[in-house]
Amino acid sequence: VEAFAGHRVVAVSAGGDHGIALTVDGAVFAWGKGRHGCLGHGEDLSNKLLPKKVEAWASRPPTPASSGGEDHSDGEDSDLDG
């Protein structure tokens, strides 16, 4: 997949309507149905056939917390103390 060129994917999670991937350098990519902003691409609510980098996580990569349900996935802010 071209979107992953130059990135090493270390985790993937998928629900019924979307998928997300985390790379070794902390980049997050999402694809699938974009309704309600569920892919994390800000104002862009369009569906994505191919993975697109989630820029909201670019400065603070998440720590994967759980696999997604049919229409959601979760991650924790890596800057939070837990």
Side-chain angles (χ1 to χ4, degrees):
V1 176
E2 283 185 41
F4 297 133
H7 297 280
R8 190 171 129 216
V9 175
V10 295
V12 176
S13 179
D17 293 337
H18 74 293
I20 59 171
L22 179 66
T23 67
V24 70
D25 61 350
V28 177
F29 291 80
W31 62 96
K33 292 186 179 178
R35 67 180 183 272
H36 311 298
C38 63
L39 296 178
H41 300 305
E43 301 280 327
D44 182 359
L45 304 181
S46 64
N47 296 342
K48 302 291 179 218
L49 180 61
L50 299 173
K52 180 180 175 184
K53 187 174 182 180
V54 179
E55 295 299 332
W57 287 108
S59 64
R60 291 193 329 231
T63 301
S66 67
S67 298
E70 181 171 328
D71 57 5
H72 71 280
S73 290
D74 298 320
E76 293 177 358
D77 188 321
S78 59
D79 285 347
L80 294 177
D81 293 326

